[in-house]
Amino acid sequence: MTFLISDNLLWTLAGVAAALVLFYSYVLRSEALRDRRLSGAQFALLWLLRLGAAAAVLVALARPARELTQTETRLPVLPLLVDESTSMGFPAARGNPLVQNSPSSQRTRYHGAQRAVQYLQEQLSQTHRVRVYTFSDALALLREVPHRTADDPPLAEEVLFGPHPAPTGEYSNLGDALQTALEQQSGERVSGMIVLSDGRQTGGLATSQAAEESAAAKVPVHALTFGDEYPLRDLRIDDVVVPAEASLGDVLTLHVELTNQISSPLETTLMLEELGAEGSPPTMLSQRPIQVERGQHVVSIATIPEDEGLKTYRLSLPVEPDEVDIENNVAEVSVKVVKRTLRVLLIAGNPSREYYYMVPALLRDPILELSCYLQGADIDYTQQGNSTIERLPQTVKDWQRYDVAILFDADPNGISTQQLAGLEAMVANGGGLMVIAGRNHGLAKLVQVHAAKIRGLLPVEVDKNLHLDHDVYFEQPFQAARTVQGRNHPVLLASTNAALNEQVWSTFGALDFYWYHPVADAKSKAIVLLSKGSQAGVEPLMVLHRYGDGAVFFSGIDSLWRWRYPYESYDYDRLWTRAIRYLGEARLLGTQQQVSLASDRRSYSHGEEAQIILRVLDPALMAQLADQAQFVAVSAGDQDTYMVPMQKDPARKPLYRGQYRARRLGTMMIRATQTAPDADSEAKPLFDVSHSFQVRMQSLEHADTSADMESMQKLAETTGGEYFDYRTLGDLESLVKVIPTEPLVLTETTIVEVWDAWPLVVIFLLLVSSELCLRKWWGLL
Amino acid sequence: MTNFPRMGRTLLLTFGGLLIAAVSWQFTYSQTPAEKNAAEDEKKDDKSEDDAQRLLAERERKLGPTFPGKDPAFLVLPRPMERSNMADQLLTPEVLDRTERALDYLVRTQDPDGGWSDTQFASNTGVTALCCLALMSEGSRPRAGRYGRALDRGLEFLLNQVQPSGVIAGKGSNPYGPGYEHAYSTLALLMAYGDMPWRPQLRDVISRSIQLLARSQHLDGGWRYQMNREGLSDMSVTANVLWVLRTAKKAGFTVAPESIENGVKFVEACALPDGHFRYRTFGIVAAPSMGGTGIIALSNHGQLDHPLIAPARDKIAYEYQRYTIEDLKERRYFIFGCFYASLAMYSCGDEYWIPWFQKSATVLADMQRADGEFPDQHDNAIYSTAMAAMVLQAPRAYLPIYER
């Protein structure tokens, strides 16, 4: 019993009650004194009635009350969060025990999660209120599993997952789902949360942050990971890099970017077929056995187009067992095969030993159409070459028929001024000139005879008075070494593989040379490729520079045939053909190909920033472009063109960089074009290269098909939960054991006022009316 | 307290060691941008260039030897399929040592006039020419290279022996006639032509020499010792002359096509179906040394697919495999035959060349004397040493007479 009246008021009431007693005492004493006819019993009875009435009033005023306590027991809540993003539709890990006995169509990660949920709800629905949620971009309650007793049958899996038989979500916002689930369980006793996912988050709140919030709320999150650490079993061709045009009879190399997600290493075969006319079977061109580790690789396969026209090539990889996607094992590319030749005119004074080896090297190149002109030959001599000539070109027009000219220790007296002017015009218009100095005539004689043109053409400074001394014996050997610029120059790159390139050139460095043609120095914008000894620029042996749209190559040694040891003509031949193709490239392909335009990726999401890289492969071209601003035009179809300014690489690499934020969807074309510094507006560009990339709204679900086991494990560790993956999912019983079953006990206390009831009023009225009646009866009124 | 300095040193050494290790790690494992680029490059397919080369080689192999232009002399053989390590495999330190001793022997035995003399051939232009070719096969050129001085003197000797008739032969020539001397000398001068600008008369010498060869072709199509049109030819001299004529064509000299055609017909007439060649169109079967000579003669007409080449090649390969070192050593003119066989087998590819060379090198090793010379049965040691040196240096591929 308690009184709802305050203490102060209680004392006041006590005072009032005392006052009433005193008042009644006075009234009754006066009445008694006046009448004296009441007996003691009557007097006492009246007093009792009066005191009783006063007490009833006091009780009412004091508000006596009593406390009532109520207790309620509730089961703890256990939310199960099932990832229903499309990545859960990928096959589960092969070792996942939950799907081992299922048909192959039901071995997805989602099916594994369904099995786990079914098991858990069967085990826990008697002791917990199991709430099954699904999440993708947002959390949604799938079903609250009804509580059941041991005698009740569990909820069937089909019923539970009826609304969501397959994953359809485009996102995996795991962090958001955890946060929302935590908020929705506020006020409940949460035994923990169980997340069933592949862990591959694509957006929303970071999982680590959600884990910290769960840990702060003391809600352990148990992580059940579906999938494994490896991407899905897939062997795919990602891209095929191939030139738009290929030369008839030359090697066409197709660089295939492929991804191996099968095994490491994987032995397979890359096949190249040519698709014929509709209905005709494809022609197998080449099969290349390959062995690749896991991950992305570039593998090349080559063919030689034998006829002209637009060719469609199909590249394919065999289908591996259990491959998730077999359509991506095949790629088709189209290449236009055109007949292109590089017409080379070799003018040699006399047949030195280099001449004997160099001519077959050039004749073996299917692109080159060689015409030799041996100046010292008999007058009725049939000159060599696959396009024989009887005399040197005379006019500028005659010279324009050639793409590259080689002056191999040529007798300057056998070349007229008019002929040299034609040669100079050919080079200025994109042709190439190779000057190989020899012991017969030397450069001084050449400069003396043709000073006007040859001085400008040569990439080296020559002392015209320094004639060769034939009485000297050259018996001391020296070594030729590549300069820093020479090491990266396309002419001297024997292989794109740096290690292999060094291996090839290591044999060159060991060679002894005895004679070289001295020159004063290399010109300022020229690139020294080879020098005597290791000091660059001191004694240049091989120099190159740009001249107008063309290029001029100089070699001061005439005994490169020494490189025939140890690999005979293998590297020797290729050195010459690389040099000739480099010099004739502008003519062969329309423009210089010594620049490459690329983006850091082939595909971007909308709003992403694309890094554009303009790489200048030729240091000589870089020197030529030194003071010119570079821009790259970006366009999408026929829409506006956006010019991206390109900045020189801060690390002084021979490249320019620019950024473009992808604002439009579709194929974006980027193009870099540049004319020679002093060229007129009609001149053809020095280079004109293009590249394209895709901008699309792309799902991130397929970006990485492996499970993020690390983040799932961290989630469990941070919150104090348990972690399971395909290795331990068979032991879900242990999870059931660690989930607490203590119920939520709710206690409620209510206060009921005792006086606020009709009996007290009746008592009060009875007492007062009795006292009045008695007084009336006894004649006191 | 007395231990404090020792502890300090220990701590200092430990700290220093850790610092050095950290710096070493940084240099060893951290990548500079260039190294990163190299690493990126390594992701590329490093076999693409070799594959392209192989593809072209396969196609050329299918086509076989070709002669672009108008003349079969300008034969272009298919490119190698791959980067062969044949040279490293064959040029063992022992072979290199034997070669060097042989070349040094030649230099030591050079006559004061620049020529070389053999037991049977004193101050002989043929022997001198072979010595010059041997020095060239090392990589030396006139006045340039390790043996440039000796080579220059030898070539000067040849030029000094040119007769008014054009024949390059001196007093020590073969009593049967200067056929060999003239052919070898012309060949040596052709190989030096283009590297001797201080001797402008060289061109005229060679030109006259070739005209002489054309004038002295016999009616049967071949050549023999005497430089005239009379008499019957022999296989050996004819093959040498054909070789010279083709080399002359490549060097810019006009040679009548019918000269070579008739010469090849003579060689074909000497051939037997089993791969052997007769020394002459009549008589007994020639010595095995003629096999290589025959192949060279037929090849020089641009016919590497000539039906007679395969049996001759197989015969050489069989005999060098079948016979013992002693058997081969005892053969008449073994080194002479070995030299021509080397020219033939080299052009047939590594499949034939490598086993042949290994066996030949073994035989030659057994024949070399302490001074470095390789004598023949007649105690001639110069020409045979020159030929042996050329054989042993063939894997170096520095002399254009060895063609692939």
Side-chain angles (χ1 to χ4, degrees):
Chain A
M1 180 69 74
T2 183
F3 295 94
L4 297 182
I5 191 169
S6 65
D7 290 345
N8 292 336
L9 198 54
L10 189 63
W11 287 113
T12 307
L13 285 174
V16 171
L20 277 173
V21 170
L22 288 174
F23 173 71
Y24 273 123
S25 300
Y26 171 73
V27 170
L28 290 173
R29 181 173 291 273
S30 64
E31 285 175 351
L33 287 174
R34 194 168 56 238
D35 295 324
R36 296 249 178 226
R37 51 184 183 178
L38 292 181
S39 62
Q42 289 174 320
F43 185 78
L45 181 59
L46 284 176
W47 263 101
L48 281 173
L49 292 171
R50 288 168 184 166
L51 287 174
V57 171
L58 286 173
V59 165
L61 289 171
R63 299 178 65 195
R66 64 186 173 90
E67 286 183 354
L68 291 177
T69 303
Q70 291 180 324
T71 303
E72 184 185 345
T73 304
R74 290 188 186 179
L75 293 176
V77 174
L78 182 67
L80 304 181
L81 279 56
V82 183
D83 185 351
E84 65 114 8
S85 63
T86 50
S87 63
M88 288 293 283
F90 295 148
R94 285 189 148 195
N96 188 333
L98 299 175
V99 292
Q100 285 289 320
N101 299 321
S102 304
S104 59
S105 61
Q106 294 182 9
R107 288 185 195 159
T108 66
R109 297 173 181 179
Y110 195 63
H111 282 103
Q114 287 180 341
R115 305 281 181 284
V117 169
Q118 182 63 19
Y119 174 80
L120 292 170
Q121 67 98 358
E122 284 178 13
Q123 300 297 317
L124 296 167
S125 57
Q126 294 177 45
T127 53
H128 293 77
R129 281 181 291 155
V130 178
R131 290 175 182 162
V132 181
Y133 294 91
T134 57
F135 71 90
S136 169
D137 52 343
L139 188 73
L141 179 64
L142 180 65
R143 194 171 182 105
E144 178 147 1
V145 179
H147 173 256
R148 68 185 182 92
T149 63
D151 298 332
D152 295 332
L155 191 67
E157 186 181 320
E158 295 75 24
V159 177
L160 185 60
F161 284 97
H164 273 288
T168 54
E170 288 296 323
Y171 303 92
S172 297
N173 297 353
L174 177 56
D176 286 350
L178 283 168
Q179 190 182 47
T180 310
L182 201 61
E183 287 169 2
Q184 291 189 3
Q185 315 308 318
S186 61
E188 303 275 13
R189 181 175 187 81
V190 184
S191 298
M193 288 197 285
I194 300 177
V195 175
L196 302 97
S197 170
D198 56 12
R200 194 57 67 184
Q201 172 147 328
T202 59
L205 184 70
T207 311
S208 56
Q209 194 177 337
E212 285 170 11
E213 289 180 11
S214 296
K218 296 185 178 171
V219 174
V221 179
H222 309 287
L224 274 61
T225 311
F226 293 87
D228 55 29
E229 59 268 54
Y230 301 116
L232 294 176
R233 281 178 66 81
D234 191 23
L235 181 63
R236 66 172 184 266
I237 294 176
D238 298 317
D239 196 9
V240 181
V241 181
V242 63
E245 286 190 359
S247 301
L248 181 69
D250 196 12
V251 175
L252 168 64
T253 305
L254 299 97
H255 303 281
V256 183
E257 287 180 19
L258 59 88
T259 300
N260 164 29
Q261 294 175 182
I262 302 290
S263 61
S264 190
L266 172 72
E267 289 184 1
T268 185
T269 305
L270 177 64
M271 287 171 284
L272 174 66
E273 295 168 295
E274 183 183 335
L275 301 182
E278 204 165 318
S280 60
T283 310
M284 178 63 73
L285 299 175
S286 179
Q287 295 187 60
R288 183 177 168 190
I290 53 173
Q291 182 174 314
V292 285
E293 301 293 320
R294 267 186 191 278
Q296 197 170 44
H297 302 272
V298 176
V299 179
S300 300
I301 192 165
T303 185
I304 299 179
E306 299 291 354
D307 45 11
E308 292 179 76
L310 187 67
K311 304 288 173 192
T312 303
Y313 296 104
R314 180 162 71 192
L315 295 122
S316 58
L317 294 163
V319 175
E320 297 292 327
D322 290 345
E323 221 184 312
V324 67
D325 186 353
I326 59 170
E327 289 181 3
N328 59 18
N329 290 38
V330 180
E332 289 182 6
V333 289
S334 294
V335 179
K336 188 178 178 186
V337 178
V338 292
K339 187 174 182 180
R340 286 189 297 218
T341 50
L342 205 55
R343 285 153 300 187
V344 180
L345 175 61
L346 168 59
I347 306 169
N350 285 316
S352 66
R353 203 178 300 188
E354 191 88 280
Y355 176 85
Y356 284 117
Y357 289 124
M358 186 182 179
V359 171
L362 300 182
L363 285 172
R364 284 186 185 124
D365 191 323
I367 290 299
L368 304 191
E369 187 181 289
L370 179 69
S371 300
C372 295
Y373 189 82
L374 200 54
Q375 291 175 299
D378 287 342
I379 196 161
D380 56 346
Y381 178 66
T382 304
Q383 297 282 354
Q384 290 194 58
N386 34 26
S387 175
T388 53
I389 56 171
E390 293 179 357
R391 59 174 191 165
L392 285 177
Q394 298 294 319
T395 64
V396 172
K397 193 177 173 184
D398 291 342
W399 280 97
Q400 289 300 331
R401 284 205 292 267
Y402 293 96
D403 303 308
V404 178
I406 304 170
L407 294 181
F408 189 164
D409 197 13
D411 181 1
N413 292 320
I415 303 170
S416 68
T417 307
Q418 185 192 3
Q419 286 171 324
L420 204 70
L423 172 64
E424 191 266 344
M426 185 266 282
V427 177
N429 286 321
L433 172 64
M434 180 180 281
V435 179
I436 303 171
R439 299 166 75 190
N440 282 282
H441 301 290
L443 294 177
K445 194 172 167 186
L446 186 65
V447 170
Q448 275 189 344
V449 177
H450 298 292
K453 296 289 183 188
I454 206 73
R455 272 195 184 278
L457 280 168
L458 281 174
V460 288
E461 302 288 356
V462 179
D463 182 353
K464 67 175 183 180
N465 297 316
L466 187 67
H467 289 278
L468 299 176
D469 184 356
H470 295 309
D471 292 331
V472 178
Y473 286 81
F474 300 94
E475 294 172 301
Q476 291 304 314
F478 67 88
Q479 278 77 43
R482 286 170 301 155
T483 62
V484 174
Q485 288 175 311
R487 285 174 189 275
N488 297 315
H489 198 277
V491 170
L492 301 191
L493 269 181
S495 170
T496 51
N497 180 301
L500 187 61
N501 187 47
E502 288 305 313
Q503 187 185 335
V504 170
W505 279 96
S506 65
T507 59
F508 185 87
L511 298 176
D512 284 341
F513 293 97
Y514 290 89
W515 182 87
Y516 71 99
H517 195 295
V519 294
D521 204 354
K523 284 183 178 170
S524 61
K525 287 191 174 180
I527 304 297
V528 180
L529 305 177
L530 273 183
S531 63
K532 184 186 172 190
S534 55
Q535 287 185 319
V538 179
E539 298 275 5
L541 297 178
M542 196 176 277
V543 190
L544 189 148
H545 80 160
R546 294 265 156 201
Y547 186 86
D549 291 345
V552 183
F553 174 96
F554 165 78
S555 175
I557 42 179
D558 66 344
S559 48
L560 285 172
W561 48 265
R562 285 183 173 273
W563 204 17
R564 285 173 54 79
Y565 173 78
Y567 299 124
E568 290 182 73
S569 57
Y570 196 82
D571 296 313
Y572 172 83
D573 282 14
R574 292 206 291 175
L575 173 63
W576 286 120
T577 53
R578 274 201 307 275
I580 296 292
R581 284 185 179 220
Y582 169 86
L583 291 173
E585 193 171 52
R587 292 290 189 89
L588 186 67
L589 305 174
T591 57
Q592 291 292 337
Q593 297 295 304
Q594 297 308 324
V595 292
S596 73
L597 189 59
S599 51
D600 56 338
R601 295 212 310 269
R602 287 250 164 197
S603 171
Y604 298 90
S605 294
H606 189 257
E608 269 193 297
E609 191 170 77
Q611 297 288 331
I612 300 171
I613 301 162
L614 178 67
R615 195 182 295 272
V616 182
L617 305 172
D618 179 7
L621 184 59
M622 193 75 188
Q624 197 176 18
L625 298 173
D627 304 322
Q628 289 188 294
Q630 299 297 322
F631 291 90
V632 166
V634 184
S635 61
D638 54 355
Q639 296 179 15
D640 294 341
T641 299
Y642 181 75
M643 300 301 289
V644 177
M646 303 296 283
Q647 306 294 330
K648 271 189 184 175
D649 183 65
R652 292 176 167 268
K653 285 184 184 174
L655 53 86
Y656 296 83
R657 295 179 189 277
Q659 291 81 35
Y660 171 75
R661 192 166 293 282
R663 296 186 181 88
R664 296 172 183 157
L665 296 177
T667 303
M668 308 299 294
M669 288 296 303
I670 54 177
R671 183 180 178 194
T673 180
Q674 182 70 54
T675 50
D678 305 323
D680 58 47
S681 58
E682 297 297 317
K684 66 182 180 58
L686 267 180
F687 60 81
D688 186 353
V689 285
S690 301
H691 177 75
S692 66
F693 58 81
Q694 296 287 325
V695 180
R696 56 191 173 205
M697 302 298 287
Q698 51 190 358
S699 170
L700 300 175
E701 287 293 310
H702 296 74
D704 188 349
T705 55
S706 65
D708 192 350
M709 302 168 81
E710 191 180 348
S711 76
M712 289 290 275
Q713 191 161 13
K714 198 172 177 185
L715 170 64
E717 285 172 0
T718 307
T719 59
E722 297 291 318
Y723 170 75
F724 292 84
D725 58 30
Y726 65 94
R727 289 173 284 244
T728 52
L729 277 171
D731 187 28
L732 285 179
E733 191 181 348
S734 63
L735 175 60
V736 172
K737 285 178 183 169
V738 299
I739 295 174
T741 56
E742 289 83 18
L744 176 64
V745 179
L746 295 174
T747 303
E748 189 178 11
T749 303
T750 54
I751 297 173
V752 180
E753 293 190 33
V754 179
W755 66 274
D756 190 12
W758 61 267
L760 187 66
V761 178
V762 171
I763 290 168
F764 177 74
L765 291 174
L766 276 174
L767 288 172
V768 172
S769 58
S770 300
E771 195 264 351
L772 280 170
C773 289
L774 285 173
R775 284 172 67 193
K776 184 72 180 180
W777 186 25
W778 288 337
L780 296 180
L781 291 177
Chain B
M1 290 299 286
T2 51
N3 285 336
F4 180 75
R6 191 176 295 166
M7 285 174 63
R9 276 201 302 273
T10 309
L11 283 171
L12 198 64
L13 284 170
T14 309
F15 179 74
L18 287 171
L19 190 66
I20 290 166
V23 170
S24 307
W25 185 90
Q26 175 71 17
F27 277 104
T28 309
Y29 295 105
S30 63
Q31 288 183 315
T32 62
E35 288 167 337
K36 280 181 181 171
N37 283 345
E40 283 173 12
D41 287 342
E42 281 174 13
K43 283 169 80 175
K44 294 176 185 172
D45 188 0
D46 53 6
K47 292 182 179 169
S48 59
E49 293 94 350
D50 287 344
D51 279 348
Q53 189 76 359
R54 191 176 299 115
L55 213 58
L56 286 171
E58 279 172 7
R59 197 180 69 151
E60 287 176 9
R61 191 142 296 198
K62 280 180 196 166
L63 292 173
T66 54
F67 47 94
K70 298 173 182 173
D71 201 314
F74 306 138
L75 190 68
V76 178
L77 305 180
R79 72 181 70 201
M81 295 285 281
E82 55 194 11
R83 193 177 277 113
S84 164
N85 65 347
M86 173 273 291
D88 280 336
Q89 191 182 340
L90 300 183
L91 292 178
T92 61
E94 187 198 343
V95 170
L96 291 173
D97 176 61
R98 291 187 184 283
T99 309
E100 192 172 332
R101 284 167 52 208
L103 292 174
D104 289 345
Y105 173 80
L106 293 179
V107 173
R108 280 202 309 274
T109 54
Q110 190 171 22
D111 294 337
D113 60 1
W116 273 271
S117 299
D118 228 330
T119 303
Q120 289 182 299
F121 313 107
S123 197
N124 185 280
T125 54
V127 173
T128 302
L130 287 170
C131 290
C132 289
L133 288 170
L135 298 179
M136 284 188 218
S137 66
E138 182 272 338
S140 293
R141 296 189 290 167
R143 299 187 184 179
R146 188 174 175 183
Y147 300 106
R149 194 177 291 265
L151 174 60
D152 183 51
R153 290 177 60 218
L155 292 167
E156 289 294 334
F157 172 81
L158 294 179
L159 288 174
N160 291 334
Q161 300 299 314
V162 178
Q163 305 300 315
S165 63
V167 68
I168 311 171
K171 56 186 178 182
S173 295
N174 190 320
Y176 293 113
Y180 281 109
E181 284 85 349
H182 185 74
Y184 288 142
S185 299
T186 310
L187 186 66
L189 291 175
L190 277 167
M191 287 291 135
Y193 178 52
D195 274 326
M196 292 182 74
W198 53 90
R199 285 286 173 263
Q201 71 270 35
L202 184 56
R203 174 178 168 68
D204 186 49
V205 169
I206 296 171
S207 187
R208 285 166 55 208
S209 163
I210 291 164
Q211 288 169 27
L212 177 62
L213 286 171
R215 285 200 306 273
S216 56
Q217 188 170 19
H218 294 172
L219 294 175
D220 59 8
W223 287 264
R224 206 156 186 248
Y225 293 97
Q226 291 295 331
M227 304 304 291
N228 57 47
R229 297 176 66 86
E230 294 174 2
L232 295 171
S233 310
D234 74 58
M235 168 77 189
S236 181
V237 176
T238 301
N240 279 303
V241 173
L242 285 173
W243 188 18
V244 171
L245 293 180
R246 178 172 171 241
T247 308
K249 272 192 172 185
K250 288 163 73 176
F253 296 92
T254 302
V255 177
E258 55 271 20
S259 280
I260 292 179
E261 281 171 20
N262 292 336
V264 169
K265 279 178 187 166
F266 173 79
V267 172
E268 287 170 346
C270 292
L272 296 172
D274 65 350
H276 274 125
F277 288 86
R278 288 177 295 190
Y279 181 61
R280 306 177 81 169
T281 53
F282 54 89
I284 58 169
V285 173
S289 60
M290 288 297 108
T293 319
I295 293 176
I296 296 304
L298 295 171
S299 309
N300 280 317
H301 192 45
Q303 285 184 287
L304 275 188
D305 55 348
H306 195 290
L308 289 171
I309 288 181
R313 175 199 65 202
D314 294 343
K315 198 80 184 171
I316 295 171
Y318 170 78
E319 288 179 347
Y320 273 77
Q321 184 187 12
R322 167 73 179 80
Y323 294 116
T324 64
I325 294 171
E326 289 303 319
D327 290 341
L328 291 169
K329 270 172 63 181
E330 292 306 315
R331 281 191 166 185
R332 197 169 172 232
Y333 302 119
F334 168 73
I335 293 178
F336 180 85
C338 182
F339 171 63
Y340 285 99
S342 73
L343 294 164
M345 299 306 267
Y346 184 86
S347 65
C348 293
D350 280 349
E351 182 187 353
Y352 296 96
W353 166 246
I354 290 176
W356 180 89
F357 182 88
Q358 286 169 333
K359 183 66 175 279
S360 302
T362 316
V363 179
L364 289 173
D366 206 55
M367 295 176 73
Q368 192 172 27
R369 287 183 182 165
D371 286 347
E373 76 271 35
F374 295 85
D376 70 358
Q377 289 95 336
H378 304 286
D379 211 23
N380 294 307
I382 305 297
Y383 90 86
S384 50
T385 300
M387 283 183 163
M390 278 190 274
V391 172
L392 293 175
Q393 292 181 104
R396 205 179 278 277
Y398 276 179
L399 195 60
I401 61 174
Y402 285 95
E403 283 184 282
R404 287 198 180 187

